[in-house]
């Protein structure tokens, strides 16, 4: 078993769930719609009553744990839990204190193995449930009493343990864990609340004491604790601070402005052209989720009234399934089958969704992609399946000529024996499963194509193994007309980017976004080769 798999097991072991029936009988607090404004110290009994009202059970395929009700807007409730508690495939549901089960939608999800181990879900209900107040963690200090709540695997009832904060780590552990405390946390309590004496939410439980692997206690920046520090860390349970929510779901209305400002202040301002391309890509790239076929990517290319048009790869949406668009702000939009328009000769499709929110629209490049014999730098934007909802931008060189590949039917069965899938773009960019359908961008952030595939082994002659493949954006204009879009609504430019200077090329090669990382030991051969291109 490699270290990554072992680390996953160590973290997930805090949240494996058995079916249960909620049987807590303690008196419930008043079910008011607004957050509890708990500015004064509450009795232990009041805090326990509060914890029972706002703690939910989270069910997901093969996983699960606990969660916390943090907001209500109309009939929509928002739940905060751990990223490792929920599943990216299949459906998630929650059970409230009254024993009722509700279907839940994932709004935002962090990275439990690298970023921050938080996730946000929402559900609809006519019931009036209690929600919790978010604490200002600037008032945290060691030796303060705290209460941890959740549903252990081995209990049908909620467990609320009390203890004290023992460590406030300046640096975040893997998953964003910083608050160390003496409370007992049992398997299944991941995603539950860590409350202060005022009954406010200060963090989310997620890491039990004495985790199996030392890697669990590595810091996010890659450094490792000393042997003495490791001994101290292993004695404590850990929670992700509540202010980390501003990193995982910055657009939630309940997040105080000062948290957003603090988060922005910690992100170095990028003024290079690479940062500008990445910013454009972030605003126009969407994730396309399915119930049974994993995720893909797409790019917003037009807006007509309240209808947005997303270009993607055909194989991302080809199979009958329940699809959803995850917009750049984390909002999720169900896709009707009638709003999926498929090409008959290209690995390309257009998907429509409706929203009253304002999203950026891509600028489409209509110039000759093969205007010179040079290999221009280009960028790919998409959502790798292994990145737990985090978008990735990769850089590479585009082929100076058209890529002409004859594809055997058995190589790409999702194309139903199509011989020419429209793969006229070739590039050296790293592309991973889940990034199909994402944007291919030039150095000005203009969309030149749709990322579709990696050249399969043994196909094509005189082609580099592992070459990225894409469909030029110009090829899908007919498909856009089929979808009902008026061509004049497209933002089209005819000017190619100027040749990059040596300084700009060095900026690409040294930019933090493109620092090569060693793939896992069982990574596909094509991943290794892409890093070497």
């Amino acid at each position: 078993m490699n270290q990554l798999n072992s680390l996953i097991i160590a973290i997930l072991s805090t949240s494996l769930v058995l079916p249960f029936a909620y049987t807590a009988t303690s008196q419930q607090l008043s079910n008011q719609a607004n957050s509890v404004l708990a500015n004064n110290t509450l009795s232990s009994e009041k805090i326990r009553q509060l914890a029972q009202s706002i703690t939910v059970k989270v069910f997901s395929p093969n996983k699960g744990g606990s969660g916390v009700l943090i907001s209500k807007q109309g009939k929509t409730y928002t739940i905060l839990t751990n990223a490792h508690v929920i599943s990216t495939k299949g459906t998630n549901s929650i059970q409230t204190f009254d024993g009722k089960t509700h279907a839940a939608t994932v709004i935002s999800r962090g990275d439990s193995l690298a970023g921050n181990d938080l996730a946000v879900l929402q559900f609809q209900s006519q019931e009036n449930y209690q929600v919790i107040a978010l604490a200002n963690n600037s008032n945290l200090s060691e030796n303060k009493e705290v209460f941890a709540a959740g549903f252990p695997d081995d209990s049908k009832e909620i467990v609320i343990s009390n203890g004290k904060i023992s460590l406030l780590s300046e640096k975040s552990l893997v998953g964003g864990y910083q608050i160390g405390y003496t409370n007992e946390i049992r398997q299944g309590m991941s995603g539950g609340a860590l409350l202060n004496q005022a009954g406010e939410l200060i963090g989310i439980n997620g890491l039990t004491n004495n985790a199996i692997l030392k890697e669990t206690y590595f810091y996010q920046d890659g450094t490792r604790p000393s042997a003495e520090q490791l001994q101290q860390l292993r004695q404590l349970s850990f929670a992700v601070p509540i202010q980390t929510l501003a990193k995982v779901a910055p657009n939630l209305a309940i997040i105080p402005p000062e948290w957003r400002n603090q988060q922005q202040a910690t992100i170095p301002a990028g003024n290079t052209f690479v940062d500008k391309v990445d910013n454009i890509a972030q605003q126009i790239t969407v994730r396309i989720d399915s119930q049974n076929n994993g995720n893909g990517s797409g790019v917003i290319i037009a807006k007509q009234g309240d209808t947005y048009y997303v270009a993607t790869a055909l194989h991302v949406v080809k199979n009958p399934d329940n699809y959803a668009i995850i917009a750049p702000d984390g909002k999720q939009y169900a896709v009707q089958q009638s709003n999926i328009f498929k090409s008959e000769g290209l690995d390309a499709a257009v998907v429509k969704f409706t929203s009253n929110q304002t999203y950026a629209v891509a600028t489409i490049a209509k110039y000759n992609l093969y205007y010179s014999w040079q290999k221009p730098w280009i960028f790919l934007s998409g959502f790798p399946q292994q990145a737990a909802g985090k978008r990735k931008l990769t850089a590479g060189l585009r082929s100076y000529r058209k890529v002409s590949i004859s594809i055997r039917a058995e190589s790409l069965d999702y194309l139903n024996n199509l011989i020419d899938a429209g793969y006229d773009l070739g590039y050296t960019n790293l592309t991973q499963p889940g990034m199909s359908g994402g944007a291919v961008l030039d150095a000005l952030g203009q969309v030149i194509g749709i990322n579709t595939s990696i050249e399969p082994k043994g196909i094509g002659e005189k082609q580099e193994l592992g070459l990225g493949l894409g469909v030029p954006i110009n090829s899908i204009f007919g498909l856009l007309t089929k979808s009902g879009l008026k061509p004049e609504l497209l933002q089209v430019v005819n000017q190619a980017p100027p040749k990059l200077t040596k300084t700009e090329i060095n900026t690409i090669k040294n930019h933090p976004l493109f620092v090569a990382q060693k793939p896992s030991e069982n990574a596909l051969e094509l991943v290794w080769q892409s890093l070497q291109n």
Side-chain angles (χ1 to χ4, degrees), residues 351-368:
V351 179
K352 297 196 300 188
F353 73 94
T354 302
S355 174
N356 57 9
Q357 300 295 312
T358 300
Y359 299 117
V361 173
T363 298
I364 295 175
K366 202 177 179 181
Y367 56 80
N368 181 6

Side-chain angles (χ1 to χ4, degrees), residues 317-366:
V317 294
K318 180 180 182 296
N319 296 322
D321 206 335
N322 294 321
Y323 293 100
I325 299 286
I326 311 300
D329 61 356
K331 288 184 170 61
Q332 180 169 310
Y333 302 94
V335 176
Q336 304 298 322
Q337 284 293 321
S338 59
N339 286 331
I340 300 176
F341 301 86
K342 304 172 183 179
S343 173
E344 297 179 357
L346 304 171
D347 188 7
V350 170
V351 179
K352 297 196 300 188
F353 73 94
T354 302
S355 174
N356 57 9
Q357 300 295 312
T358 300
Y359 299 117
V361 173
T363 298
I364 295 175
K366 202 177 179 181

Side-chain angles (χ1 to χ4, degrees), residues 41-94:
T41 300
L42 300 179
S43 67
S44 296
E45 181 59 27
K46 289 292 185 183
I47 291 177
R48 291 176 184 276
Q49 292 174 15
L50 174 61
Q52 289 178 334
S53 298
I54 55 89
T55 305
V56 300
K57 191 74 172 175
V58 179
F59 298 99
S60 65
N62 302 320
K63 300 179 185 178
S66 305
V68 188
L69 289 163
I70 61 172
S71 174
K72 178 186 179 184
Q73 291 181 312
K75 301 176 184 178
T76 301
Y77 285 91
T78 300
I79 295 169
L80 184 59
T81 185
N82 286 134
H84 74 260
V85 164
I86 63 173
S87 174
T88 56
K89 296 182 180 180
T91 58
N92 298 278
S93 61
I94 64 96

Side-chain angles (χ1 to χ4, degrees), residues 161-217:
S161 62
N162 65 310
K164 292 185 177 181
I165 296 176
S166 182
L167 176 66
L168 295 172
S169 177
E170 293 184 4
K171 294 198 300 183
S172 298
L173 298 173
V174 170
Y177 293 98
Q178 287 183 274
I179 305 176
Y181 44 100
T182 61
N183 307 53
E184 180 189 11
I185 301 297
R186 290 150 60 182
Q187 292 184 11
M189 293 177 69
S190 284
L194 184 67
L195 305 174
N196 63 14
Q197 291 174 291
E200 299 168 326
L201 184 65
I202 64 173
I204 297 296
N205 303 318
L207 182 61
T208 64
N209 63 341
N210 291 313
I212 299 174
L213 293 179
K214 293 189 297 184
E215 287 85 349
T216 306
Y217 300 104

Side-chain angles (χ1 to χ4, degrees), residues 391-431:
R391 186 185 60 87
K392 185 178 184 64
L393 188 78
T394 67
L397 295 172
R398 198 196 73 219
S399 173
Y400 61 80
R401 59 186 175 85
K402 285 189 176 183
V403 177
S404 180
I405 300 176
S406 295
I407 302 177
R408 292 195 293 269
E410 65 270 19
S411 298
L412 294 175
D413 57 357
Y414 54 75
L415 291 179
N416 284 340
N417 300 331
L418 291 179
I419 299 303
D420 182 4
Y423 295 146
D424 285 341
L425 278 177
Y427 32 80
T428 64
N429 303 58
L430 173 63
T431 177

